[in-house]
Amino acid sequence: MANLSLQNLQKSYGSAHVIKGVDIEIADGEFTVFVGPSGCGKSTLLRMIAGLEDISGGDLYIGDRQVNEVQPKERGIAMVFQSYAIFPHMTVRENIGFGLTIEGVKKDEWNERVNEAARILQMEHLLDRRPSQLSGGQRQRVAIGRAIVRKPAVFLFDEPLSNLDAALRMDMRMEIGKLHKQLDATMIYVTHDQVEAMTLADKIVVLKDGKVMQIGAPMELYHKPANLFVARFIGSPAMNLLDVTVAESTATGHIVQNGSLDPVEIATDTQAKPGDKLILGIRPQYLDPSHDPSAGKLHGTVSITERLGTETILDLTLTDGSKLVAALPEDAIFKPEETVSLTFDPARAHLFQPEDA
């Protein structure tokens, strides 16, 4: 396995600057996820690591070796694409071992490595089938098996689950997580699905417009988003963001309020003075229909109730016309048009400058 170092990486297509000075350190054996919306540059960055895209500026190291000009086959990487890219006329065995065949690996070693990959992926009973006889999840395992037999220093995954249905995605997420632990491999995984990022990653890199917004462990990003973009992107349902005004500054933070929010003190190092506009962030899971007088309190009307079994999602219209989402316990009962007041622990709220997006 190997560590990676991305140092001020740049990528341009003519006048279009798509990767804008990315710095990332990935430890040996770490599972790192690049996440962000479509067009943020995550797949381009992965292809630069793989050697499928030229590097316009900066340096890329795999282990101690600079690989800017190194051919893809010599970088010690294996890539699993969004499309399975398996040959329909070959058996599973032949597909998994195709790369070894191209490399001229001897038959005994070829069989040993293919059988080992099949054992790891629990596909021994499928080796003589053809792709048309496999499910979508099994086909994706074949693509992963083709990567495993190469014994790469780094595994690269480019949205490998996006073609699967929801149930298969969950199953394959678990399989990839197990595979990482079993191989103790360095893995880089690209997705736009923040649930995949949160469940798989040791480290998440949040990208926007070719720039890194924040790097950290999943729960670090969840509890301490660095800016509005990360706050919006990480978490489901998304964090509530409300316009507030600073009523008073204190030694530890600011007292804020708006037409729907009673004055509440939020501890923060965000710089502001009375009268300034800020944005208050509260996760839907941290709202509660309780009556704690020391908590922040929001007032509104229920628009829609969504019962999901384990929780109830309330869509509310606040008294100032803004929208709010609350995720409440499964037995919470509210009716449309019902007036409610929801409290939250100020220690779990965030204040952002409007320009932090």
Side-chain angles (χ1 to χ4, degrees):
M1 301 306 130
N3 61 295
L4 287 90
S5 179
L6 286 63
Q7 301 176 6
N8 193 33
L9 276 197
Q10 313 270 345
K11 178 62 182 178
S12 297
Y13 298 99
S15 61
H17 195 191
V18 296
I19 300 296
K20 305 169 183 175
V22 167
D23 293 289
I24 305 170
E25 299 294 327
I26 299 172
D28 185 13
E30 193 168 51
F31 198 125
T32 299
V33 176
F34 296 167
V35 70
S38 297
C40 71
K42 54 189 183 295
S43 288
T44 300
L45 196 57
L46 194 76
R47 290 172 65 83
M48 291 166 71
I49 294 170
L52 302 177
E53 295 280 358
D54 293 335
I55 295 172
S56 303
D59 294 302
L60 171 63
Y61 288 85
I62 298 178
D64 297 326
R65 182 172 64 144
Q66 188 198 51
V67 297
N68 290 40
E69 306 296 333
V70 175
Q71 291 298 309
K73 66 181 181 180
E74 298 170 358
R75 295 191 179 197
I77 56 94
M79 191 162 180
V80 179
F81 294 91
Q82 179 177 345
S83 61
Y84 312 130
I86 56 179
F87 299 105
H89 64 287
M90 292 183 180
T91 64
V92 169
R93 186 190 309 275
E94 292 166 338
N95 267 287
I96 290 176
F98 181 73
L100 301 181
T101 301
I102 296 298
E103 293 174 13
V105 173
K106 292 182 179 179
K107 192 63 177 177
D108 287 347
E109 184 182 354
W110 190 99
N111 282 323
E112 181 181 340
R113 287 164 70 170
V114 170
N115 289 334
E116 176 65 8
R119 184 194 63 77
I120 290 170
L121 295 169
Q122 300 179 7
M123 297 184 67
E124 297 101 319
H125 62 296
L126 301 175
L127 284 173
D128 295 318
R129 293 189 187 181
R130 297 192 185 278
S132 61
Q133 300 171 299
L134 304 178
S135 68
Q138 289 168 338
R139 293 178 190 179
Q140 192 58 271
R141 287 187 192 183
V142 174
I144 294 171
R146 193 165 50 197
I148 289 173
V149 295
R150 297 190 59 201
K151 298 184 178 180
V154 182
F155 287 83
L156 306 179
F157 294 88
D158 191 4
E159 302 200 44
L161 309 185
S162 59
N163 289 333
L164 305 180
D165 62 35
L168 271 177
R169 278 203 303 273
M170 184 170 66
D171 289 343
M172 283 303 298
R173 263 204 318 267
M174 294 174 63
E175 292 300 324
I176 291 172
K178 290 177 185 175
L179 181 66
H180 175 246
K181 289 181 174 60
Q182 189 170 355
L183 299 177
D184 193 25
T186 305
M187 294 184 174
I188 304 174
Y189 188 104
V190 160
T191 182
H192 64 273
D193 185 338
Q194 55 97 14
V195 174
E196 286 182 18
M198 293 291 287
T199 54
L200 285 171
D202 297 318
K203 176 191 290 178
I204 296 176
V205 179
V206 183
L207 294 161
K208 177 192 176 189
D209 298 332
K211 295 186 287 188
V212 173
M213 294 289 101
Q214 189 173 358
I215 300 174
M219 296 314 294
E220 179 185 349
L221 270 60
Y222 185 84
H223 290 301
K224 298 179 180 180
N227 52 49
L228 280 172
F229 180 81
V230 178
R232 288 190 188 103
F233 199 85
I234 299 295
S236 181
M239 181 183 284
N240 294 295
L241 299 170
L242 305 172
D243 294 326
V244 294
T245 302
V246 177
E248 181 183 343
S249 295
T250 68
T252 56
H254 306 293
I255 297 173
V256 298
Q257 63 186 42
N258 66 19
S260 305
L261 172 68
D262 296 345
V264 58
E265 182 176 356
I266 308 295
T268 180
D269 57 5
T270 299
Q271 298 300 307
K273 60 184 184 301
D276 284 352
K277 303 294 184 182
L278 296 176
I279 294 178
L280 176 69
I282 314 165
R283 295 218 174 268
Q285 293 82 0
Y286 297 158
L287 290 164
D288 181 26
S290 70
H291 304 285
D292 180 356
S294 66
K297 184 172 288 188
L298 288 152
H299 309 279
T301 303
V302 176
S303 300
I304 300 172
T305 301
E306 302 175 73
R307 300 194 184 283
L308 304 180
T310 56
E311 62 183 358
T312 296
I313 306 296
L314 295 185
D315 292 316
L316 300 104
T317 301
L318 300 181
T319 51
D320 66 353
S322 55
K323 302 297 182 180
L324 187 81
V325 175
L328 304 179
E330 58 184 278
D331 55 354
I333 299 175
F334 292 91
K335 298 177 181 178
E337 306 305 319
E338 182 176 350
T339 300
V340 297
S341 293
L342 298 172
T343 60
F344 62 91
D345 181 353
R348 288 182 154 181
H350 306 267
L351 286 175
F352 301 99
Q353 297 286 356
E355 62 270 20
D356 279 349

